[in-house]
Amino acid sequence: MVKMSGELTETERVKLSYWTKYHEIAQENSEFMALFKPRKPSKDHWSTLGCGSSEYHMALLIDTQHKRIGIEFYVPDNKEIGHRAISLRDKFEAVLQLKAAPFDAKKASGLRFYKDGYDIKGKPEKWSSFIATQLRWAIAMKELIDELGL
């Protein structure tokens, strides 16, 4: 586990605390743990989840500045899979009940989803419910990925 440090900014400390809480909650969710192995907490705005393929992964996202949480399907180097996911964005949107933000960078491509109204910095007492939402999204996205054969 990463230690709290005076070298971290306030925002980095909040992110580290959030992902520490996520790790604790995820460990208690047997459905989630049957599908995923949560990564150790970090000061990043994402936490990666393996999906059983080296071609892609998912990530849970927090955006402290815009007060939102999210999830993404991230394909680092395979444009065929990334573009296929983008072409199936309506299926992802239906399952997650979120609007997709497709991305197609030089190497990486995929889909990103955010939901507003999640004040990570200002409402730490609500982190458990924020995290529960993200765990549900992750389970639903993994099931869809498997169903679509990505």
Side-chain angles (χ1 to χ4, degrees), residues 14 18 62 64 68-69 118-124 127 130:
V14 167
Y18 184 88
I62 55 174
T64 56
R68 60 189 185 172
I69 60 173
Y118 291 79
D119 185 359
I120 303 294
K121 280 183 159 181
K123 302 279 186 186
W127 287 359
F130 297 176

Side-chain angles (χ1 to χ4, degrees), residues 1-149:
M1 188 154 136
V2 178
K3 290 185 179 180
M4 288 289 195
S5 165
E7 296 175 23
L8 298 178
T9 67
E10 177 197 349
T11 299
E12 288 171 334
R13 284 193 299 274
V14 167
K15 291 173 183 175
L16 178 59
S17 295
Y18 184 88
W19 293 126
T20 300
K21 182 71 170 173
Y22 150 73
H23 200 270
E24 293 167 8
I25 292 171
Q27 297 287 331
E28 297 171 5
N29 185 316
S30 58
E31 186 180 8
F32 182 82
M33 292 302 292
L35 298 172
F36 302 107
K37 182 180 180 219
R39 305 290 193 256
K40 71 177 188 173
S42 76
K43 62 180 174 47
D44 299 316
H45 72 274
W46 72 90
S47 185
T48 306
L49 295 169
C51 295
S53 170
S54 60
E55 296 290 336
Y56 53 79
H57 63 265
M58 293 166 31
L60 302 180
L61 308 169
I62 55 174
D63 182 341
T64 56
Q65 191 172 16
H66 295 101
K67 298 179 181 172
R68 60 189 185 172
I69 60 173
I71 188 168
E72 74 179 350
F73 178 72
Y74 188 88
V75 186
D77 293 306
N78 186 323
K79 290 293 187 169
E80 184 180 333
I81 294 173
H83 291 165
R84 181 153 181 253
I86 291 168
S87 75
L88 296 167
R89 72 191 267 186
D90 59 326
K91 293 189 184 301
F92 282 87
E93 289 176 341
V95 166
L96 297 172
Q97 295 296 294
L98 297 167
K99 182 94 174 112
F103 62 94
D104 190 6
K106 187 173 182 179
K107 286 189 172 189
S109 55
L111 296 166
R112 211 170 270 135
F113 304 84
Y114 282 106
K115 188 163 187 182
D116 294 326
Y118 291 79
D119 185 359
I120 303 294
K121 280 183 159 181
K123 302 279 186 186
E125 70 277 6
K126 296 198 174 193
W127 287 359
S128 294
S129 69
F130 297 176
I131 292 162
T133 297
Q134 289 181 295
L135 297 183
R136 282 193 306 275
W137 290 341
I139 292 165
M141 184 181 281
K142 173 72 167 98
E143 290 171 352
L144 179 62
I145 290 166
D146 290 348
E147 181 184 312
L148 296 172

